[in-house]
Amino acid sequence: LKGLADFLKREPIVEDVDFQEDVTLTLSHWLNSVRKFGAAAILFLFSVSLLTIITVLGMKISQRKEEIDILKLIGASSWNIKLPMYCEGILYGFFSAFISWGFSYVLILYSSSFLTKFLEGVIFFPVPFLFMLEILGGMTVLGGMVGFLGSFFAVWRFMKASR
């Protein structure tokens, strides 16, 4: 932005350029901090959700050990045994994504009046509902992927132990 302001100052048509460098630097610093915190939070929450799904499905698999053994004895393929567990993990991911989206949307709606005053001049709020639906779509896809990944590791661990 500083280069753009310098360029515009040299133009003969432009009379005055009001470039508030301190505001731009402060906003840039805030954005970098938010990005770093967001990346760390995403990594932490991804790890926690993956470990939670692995633990929950691992416990459910061990509770159903007899049923799984009976299915193996009567000739069920490994997909007939694994598929319901994969679907359960994916459903956990979908529901988790929907619940977290709901909480975050309510938080955004509740804090938008404060954020509009705090970020005066930056047009972000109110957040359009269509944009939030797009976020929901992305979150459910990612949630399903995390759920599948967690169930995959839980089933893999069980199958490896039962050999």
Side-chain angles (χ1 to χ4, degrees):
L1 289 177
K2 183 169 177 52
L4 180 63
D6 292 339
F7 174 76
L8 290 174
K9 285 179 185 176
R10 290 190 300 251
E11 290 296 315
I13 302 172
V14 177
E15 290 181 19
D16 186 29
V17 175
D18 186 20
F19 175 61
Q20 298 176 353
E21 188 172 358
D22 57 336
V23 173
T24 306
L25 289 175
T26 303
L27 186 59
S28 175
H29 177 69
W30 273 85
L31 285 176
N32 286 335
S33 299
V34 167
R35 283 185 185 133
K36 289 176 185 174
F37 177 76
I42 287 171
L43 184 64
F44 174 74
L45 292 174
F46 174 79
S47 302
V48 167
S49 61
L50 190 65
L51 290 174
T52 302
I53 290 173
I54 290 172
T55 303
V56 168
L57 284 176
M59 289 187 321
K60 284 190 156 203
I61 290 170
S62 23
Q63 286 178 347
R64 294 175 49 187
K65 186 170 179 11
E66 264 185 56
E67 180 184 337
I68 293 170
D69 289 339
I70 292 170
L71 285 172
K72 285 181 182 177
L73 285 174
I74 61 173
S77 70
S78 66
W79 278 105
N80 286 340
I81 297 170
K82 293 177 185 179
L83 191 62
M85 295 174 210
Y86 290 157
C87 290
E88 187 174 350
I90 291 170
L91 285 176
Y92 284 154
F94 284 159
F95 288 127
S96 308
F98 186 75
I99 290 169
S100 63
W101 174 82
F103 281 134
S104 63
Y105 191 55
V106 167
L107 182 67
I108 287 172
L109 288 177
Y110 180 72
S111 63
S112 64
S113 61
F114 165 74
L115 290 174
T116 302
K117 291 175 189 172
F118 181 71
L119 298 172
E120 191 173 337
V122 180
I123 304 170
F124 285 134
F125 298 100
V127 177
F129 186 69
L130 183 61
F131 176 72
M132 288 306 292
L133 286 178
E134 291 171 356
I135 295 292
L136 175 63
M139 285 178 70
T140 54
V141 168
L142 287 175
M145 289 170 48
V146 170
F148 174 76
L149 193 61
S151 62
F152 176 79
F153 285 128
V155 169
W156 176 72
R157 189 174 74 178
F158 172 75
M159 292 296 191
K160 185 176 83 169
S162 68
R163 285 184 187 165

